[in-house]
Amino acid sequence: MNAPVTGRTDPGHRADAARSAASVQVADTGNVQASGHAIANSGIIHELTVIRHEYPAAGPPAGPDPSRHQGGGRLGRPIGAWDPHDLEVHPAPDPAGHPGTGRGDLPTYVTRRHDRTLARLVTAAADGESGFAVLVGGPSTGKTRACWEAVQPLAARGWHLWHPSDHTQPRTTLEELERVGPRTVVWLNEAQHSLGAAGAVGGRIAQAVHALLTDPRRGPVLVLGTLWPEYVAACTVLPRPGMPDPYSRLRELLTGRTVAVPSAFDAAALKELRDRAAAGDGRLAHAATHAVGGRVTQILAGAPELVRRYEQAPPGARAVLDAAVDARRLGAGLHLRADFLRVAAFDYLGDDDAADLGEAWFDEALRHLTAPVFGGLAPFRRVRRRPEEPPAGDAAFRLADYLEYHGSRLRARACPPESFWNAVAGLVDPAEVARVADSARRRLRFGVADRLYGVALDGGYEGARLFRAQLRELAGDSTGADRLAGADLDRGDLRTLHLVAGMRRASGDWSGAERLYRAAVDHGDVSALRPLAVLRRSAGDEEETARLYWQAVQGGEHDANVLLDASPPPHWRRWAPREALSPLDEADDHQSILQGVTPHWIETKDRADPEVAERLCRIAADHGTPSALLELARLRRGAGDTERARRLCQEAADHGCGPAYKLLAELAEENGDHDDAARITARFAADQRGVTLRWYVESAAKRGDWTRAERLARVELRHGSTLGLRLLARLREPHAPAEAERLAREAAGLGDAQALRTLAVARDAGNPDGAAQLAREAADRGDPYALRTLAKARDARDPDGAAQLAREAADRGDTSAFGLLALAREAAGDPVRAERLALEAVDCGDDVVPRVLARTRARAAAQEPRPGRPPSLLERVLRAGLGPDGSLPPG
């Protein structure tokens, strides 16, 4: 969708970029940043009073090839033939509680900021340019309706829309996706079922979507999806070293293609809502009257009535609802069978409530939960089986989306009781059982997880073997772990072996790790040579280390850490084919090499030998990673060598590294040359690499020129970005808090809730109550990380207050704060709080205990050893796990 960012500045390239459709990248805060070529031609250069760069005239883009759209057997149906409710657009009942008047009946649509983003995508698609966007927001925020409204202009152009026949079956989706042809909208509502599917199939779907978008014979197409913020957060977090990375393909696909949908209407949308309500739309009038904090779409979807039914449910029905919520948030499928719910719900009842229930309590609970509450909505919806599906022995139900969302927050800090885990063992789909086993493992219910992985394995889900081996190794059952790793090795799957070997290496069992790595090498696994070499180097065997590294290079292992951190030259010469070998120069797979050229690696090399570091960073730049030179320039600047920093930065810019211009401008500004700084920034804009005025905003603010700083922030605002206002609010806080709040609220009103979060952190030291209130408001406006960020900032000054903010964050859906605070408390030498926070993190599914424990052990090892020291609570928990009910291990 986006034009590629390159370092070329030739007129033809810039003309192509200038005439391409202005693509957008929407951050998780919801504000839109126009791409570089749009900003460069927008008047910013004039605002900065710097030199202009003229572009050569460019003709109109070539139109799409009509012949590509011919042919029969098209997948999907014409857009106009779809009922929006069949595409999961929520029905909106009228104020009297009756459903809509008929097929496709929807309230009048109110446009918002994200609709403009979608409109640009649709226009580009109509002109022949394929596009892809995923709308990110909570349930009942209008994501699916926005997609439906966006594609209406394509209906008149003969476009089809394809919706997977059963999006809960990702393999079927993958097979059908391969048949999508030109002028088709691919409808991936609730994309976690397809793009985020467990195992390899999710990655294959993401790869298939990428292939569809980039194949000119199949375009133009428009791929639209929706996701909850939790799913986006889960797939964009990089896994820890040695752990599987199931979302790498999806992470690449989503980069720059997410569109935030706020949970609340901003001021402009509320005004349009009132105008349309006054024109006679009764449903909008009802929503305008009853919505709190701009949450209009939730009122239209009947969400408040669903929540009321949840909170006021009788004990039996509430137990079933809580079991259903836990099942969905811990990995069970969309369709929950009655027999599962019956068994799972029992331990959610208190003793007195259980004693008062009659024999038919479960049937009564289902009747209560399937009864409509408002306009035909109900907490549970009975699932209608498709005609081609085989008959099943029990009814199945789907939990209402909004209740799943609401209940997941309500129960974010709760771990299910034993009856829930027992019910999971009876699920039919082994992959589903394995997903829930993963959740049990992350919550340190090791006995439960081991049993469920065994059920999944017996059902034919081979992927369960990986984590079952991990549990065996944690429990000290090396024989069992070896047996599981060997079974995968015989199947050609080396992941389990690497996981177990890595655990042994981390625990100090180097001989056990080496034995496994050598078994992998014997099976032709080149990637095992590198960790094996590290073990031999730790043992002082430089000769063997060099041989293993060179064997890895010959086998195609071209990671930079292998090629550049290997043994000293004398050992290389023994194994290399010629005297003056540079492994990096010999490597063919430069992309693989450059993945290892990290800032930490550059800093390490620069400390060891600055001249060698500079040479290697130039090699990296020549092969497509000019950021290596920029990172080195930053290091030289920090060391006070500004002239060399400027030279390296100019080299990075010449290689196409856009951010290098910012550093060049800063160096010029520090030297007092304001005009040169302005010229550099203008060149950055003109070369199509994107530009931001935030550095100029900050520079003006530091000089005390607040009027100019705000004017520049508003220049950026006119071109779609609120980041300048956000920065200015933070800078104004120490001097004029009221002005800072005005600016932050203006940005938040335009969809940038993160502006309130940033101001809250800046305000916390002087006004903690006011800061907490701003963070809560940011969270309510759709910023999921506001309270977590404030908790982390507050921790050093008020750890108990930080922990309370972490609990508030968890209640709003962000459970990561406990783990962050536990690590911070351990680093601060506060083991008691670290232990308590780590255990709270466990029940939220954050397996931070091993990381806290590893740091504690490292700290203890640096101190005087204490023979016979009894194991700590976390050591006992990590060894034995928690009971199904969360009980601590004995001792």
Side-chain angles (χ1 to χ4, degrees):
M1 181 179 73
N2 294 347
V5 178
T6 72
R8 299 196 304 272
T9 58
D10 60 281
H13 166 69
R14 288 194 281 162
D16 289 342
R19 67 178 178 240
S20 63
S23 58
V24 295
Q25 180 174 357
V26 183
D28 61 359
T29 56
N31 60 309
V32 181
Q33 300 174 356
S35 61
H37 59 262
I39 293 180
N41 293 290
S42 63
I44 288 179
I45 298 176
H46 175 73
E47 291 285 341
L48 292 173
T49 64
V50 294
I51 60 173
R52 290 180 178 271
H53 285 252
E54 295 183 356
Y55 294 96
D65 180 3
S67 66
R68 293 187 303 169
H69 305 312
Q70 304 304 316
R74 294 179 62 182
L75 199 63
R77 289 188 271 163
I79 293 174
W82 282 95
D83 183 335
H85 300 322
D86 291 339
L87 298 173
E88 299 176 309
V89 176
H90 287 307
D94 68 20
H98 301 296
T101 57
R103 178 185 181 277
D105 178 72
L106 295 170
T108 309
Y109 191 66
V110 177
T111 57
R112 294 192 275 168
R113 287 173 62 86
H114 55 270
D115 294 303
R116 294 192 285 276
T117 302
L118 289 177
R120 286 190 285 271
L121 269 178
V122 168
T123 299
D127 290 340
E129 181 180 349
S130 293
F132 173 46
V134 172
L135 275 65
V136 179
S140 301
T141 52
K143 303 185 298 298
T144 314
R145 176 74 189 275
C147 291
W148 172 250
E149 295 296 330
V151 302
Q152 295 312 300
L154 298 177
R157 292 173 174 258
W159 279 56
H160 278 209
L161 185 149
W162 168 69
H163 181 229
S165 58
D166 184 355
H167 63 187
T168 67
Q169 298 298 320
R171 293 188 184 279
T172 303
T173 299
L174 178 61
E175 293 170 2
E176 294 179 344
L177 187 60
E178 301 290 349
R179 296 166 42 216
V180 171
R183 295 196 300 172
T184 302
V185 175
V186 176
W187 192 267
L188 299 180
N189 197 45
E190 295 192 71
Q192 70 272 13
H193 298 302
S194 51
L195 295 172
V201 66
R204 290 172 61 194
I205 291 175
Q207 186 174 6
V209 170
H210 181 269
L212 174 63
L213 293 169
T214 55
D215 187 347
R217 296 168 300 176
R218 301 174 67 190
V221 294
L222 178 61
V223 183
L224 296 178
T226 65
L227 279 173
W228 289 1
E230 292 90 333
Y231 291 117
V232 175
C235 72
T236 53
V237 173
L238 290 171
R240 293 196 297 277
M243 299 300 290
D245 186 6
Y247 299 120
S248 59
R249 288 281 185 185
L250 178 56
R251 195 161 50 245
E252 295 169 8
L253 191 64
L254 290 182
T255 300
R257 292 180 169 118
T258 57
V259 180
V261 179
S263 58
F265 278 26
D266 60 18
L270 287 172
K271 181 181 183 304
E272 184 181 346
L273 172 74
R274 289 190 290 269
D275 292 343
R276 293 187 179 279
D281 192 315
R283 286 175 288 188
L284 291 188
H286 177 78
T289 302
H290 292 87
V292 177
R295 295 174 180 269
V296 174
T297 53
Q298 293 87 339
I299 294 293
L300 289 171
E305 295 295 329
L306 287 172
V307 171
R308 189 172 297 113
R309 175 67 66 90
Y310 185 15
E311 294 175 346
Q312 297 178 2
R318 178 59 184 265
V320 174
L321 275 174
D322 284 342
V325 166
D326 284 347
R328 290 292 297 131
R329 72 187 179 93
L330 268 64
L334 201 61
H335 301 158
L336 303 171
R337 294 207 168 289
D339 55 354
F340 165 80
L341 293 169
R342 184 185 297 108
V343 175
F346 194 78
D347 283 350
Y348 288 82
L349 293 161
D351 291 341
D352 292 339
D353 290 331
D356 292 340
L357 292 179
E359 290 295 325
W361 73 272
F362 183 71
D363 293 335
E364 293 170 2
L366 286 183
R367 281 195 293 273
H368 179 85
L369 296 175
T370 53
V373 293
F374 179 55
L377 297 173
F380 271 8
R381 175 165 57 86
R382 187 181 293 270
V383 177
R384 291 183 301 173
R385 295 191 182 90
R386 299 175 65 85
E388 65 272 17
E389 290 182 336
D394 206 3
F397 300 88
R398 176 172 174 174
L399 180 65
D401 286 352
Y402 196 84
L403 283 191
E404 181 183 336
Y405 183 82
H406 174 76
S408 294
R409 279 150 182 71
L410 203 64
R411 297 189 55 77
R413 293 188 281 144
C415 195
E418 189 166 5
S419 64
F420 173 87
W421 306 115
N422 292 336
V424 170
L427 290 174
V428 175
D429 184 357
E432 198 173 343
V433 176
R435 288 197 301 271
V436 181
D438 289 341
S439 296
R441 176 181 52 82
R442 288 194 298 271
R443 288 162 175 79
L444 303 190
R445 271 62 174 182
F446 290 157
V448 168
D450 186 66
R451 179 163 61 96
L452 294 180
Y453 282 132
V455 171
L457 270 173
D458 292 342
Y461 188 76
E462 300 290 347
R465 190 176 285 109
L466 175 74
F467 289 116
R468 200 177 198 200
Q470 181 191 39
L471 295 176
R472 289 280 191 261
E473 185 70 17
L474 280 172
D477 180 8
S478 298
T479 302
D482 282 349
R483 184 169 58 251
L484 290 162
D488 269 354
L489 189 62
D490 292 340
R491 296 172 50 247
D493 186 346
L494 295 158
R495 293 176 302 163
T496 304
L497 184 146
H498 275 275
L499 176 66
V500 175
M503 293 175 69
R504 290 183 186 172
R505 177 180 161 191
S507 67
D509 181 9
W510 290 359
S511 62
E514 184 171 336
R515 180 171 51 79
L516 289 175
Y517 284 132
R518 290 197 183 278
V521 171
D522 291 342
H523 277 73
D525 178 25
V526 177
S527 66
L529 288 164
R530 175 181 166 186
L532 188 56
V534 172
L535 288 173
R536 296 317 304 156
R537 171 175 282 173
S538 300
D541 187 352
E542 289 289 349
E543 180 82 9
E544 176 69 356
T545 300
R547 188 187 69 79
L548 290 167
Y549 270 129
W550 181 245
Q551 189 179 344
V553 172
Q554 287 182 311
E557 184 73 0
H558 290 162
D559 183 275
N561 289 308
V562 171
L563 295 166
L564 305 176
D565 289 346
S567 303
H571 292 288
W572 275 106
R573 293 191 187 106
R574 182 182 300 275
W575 299 105
R578 66 174 187 266
E579 183 72 9
L581 174 72
S582 167
L584 180 60
D585 292 335
E586 286 294 299
D588 295 323
D589 185 2
H590 294 296
Q591 291 304 314
S592 177
I593 295 168
L594 299 174
Q595 292 175 3
V597 184
T598 63
H600 173 73
W601 176 85
I602 294 170
E603 184 177 5
T604 302
K605 283 293 175 188
D606 192 47
R607 282 200 304 266
D609 189 335
E611 296 303 322
V612 170
E614 198 165 316
R615 180 178 67 83
L616 294 174
C617 285
R618 284 196 180 93
I619 293 174
D622 288 341
H623 291 100
T625 306
S627 58
L629 285 169
L630 176 58
E631 188 61 36
L632 191 58
R634 291 191 178 115
L635 292 171
R636 299 291 164 81
R637 179 197 188 190
D641 189 352
T642 54
E643 179 54 35
R644 181 165 285 191
R646 190 202 63 76
R647 180 169 53 78
L648 288 167
C649 205
Q650 185 62 60
E651 286 188 59
D654 292 344
H655 277 83
C657 181
Y661 282 94
K662 179 177 180 290
L663 183 56
L664 278 172
E666 289 178 3
L667 290 168
E669 187 82 10
E670 289 172 3
N671 200 38
D673 194 342
H674 304 300
D675 291 338
D676 191 36
R679 281 193 294 273
I680 290 168
T681 304
R683 194 177 306 123
F684 183 22
D687 279 350
Q688 306 301 311
R689 300 186 182 102
V691 68
T692 173
L693 298 179
R694 292 188 296 282
W695 176 76
Y696 263 93
V697 171
E698 188 169 10
S699 180
K702 286 179 178 178
R703 296 196 301 269
D705 190 348
W706 298 106
T707 301
R708 177 173 174 78
E710 183 166 345
R711 182 169 69 84
L712 292 170
R714 293 193 180 282
V715 169
E716 192 172 24
L717 181 64
R718 287 202 296 274
H719 298 285
S721 174
T722 58
L723 297 180
L725 284 181
R726 186 200 303 173
L727 170 64
L728 188 57
R730 176 173 63 79
L731 296 172
R732 286 291 266 164
E733 172 63 20
H735 309 280
E739 278 295 295
E741 190 162 330
R742 175 183 65 81
L743 292 164
R745 290 192 179 282
E746 181 179 354
L750 294 170
D752 183 6
Q754 190 176 335
L756 295 173
R757 181 218 301 185
T758 303
L759 183 59
V761 173
R763 179 166 292 185
D764 192 46
N767 182 2
D769 290 340
Q773 188 56 42
L774 283 172
R776 292 185 191 106
E777 185 177 343
D780 290 341
R781 285 176 175 263
D783 179 2
Y785 307 121
L787 287 161
R788 175 190 72 179
T789 305
L790 184 60
K792 190 176 179 183
R794 182 175 292 187
D795 176 67
R797 187 176 61 258
D798 179 11
D800 291 333
Q804 184 54 42
L805 286 172
R807 295 181 187 104
E808 287 191 50
D811 293 341
R812 284 175 162 84
D814 178 15
T815 58
S816 60
F818 294 114
L820 294 172
L821 295 180
L823 292 168
R825 286 293 88 210
E826 197 290 323
D830 185 357
V832 175
R833 284 194 178 92
E835 188 176 271
R836 185 168 64 240
L837 287 163
L839 290 176
E840 285 195 70
V842 164
D843 276 349
C844 295
D846 183 352
D847 53 347
V848 74
V849 167
R851 283 176 284 162
V852 173
L853 194 54
R855 296 188 183 187
T856 303
R857 285 171 173 165
R859 187 185 303 276
Q863 299 170 353
E864 183 178 351
R866 292 183 295 164
R869 178 182 63 87
S872 68
L873 173 60
L874 292 187
E875 286 173 323
R876 288 190 284 117
V877 166
L878 192 58
R879 170 66 67 174
L882 299 171
D885 58 354
S887 56
L888 296 171

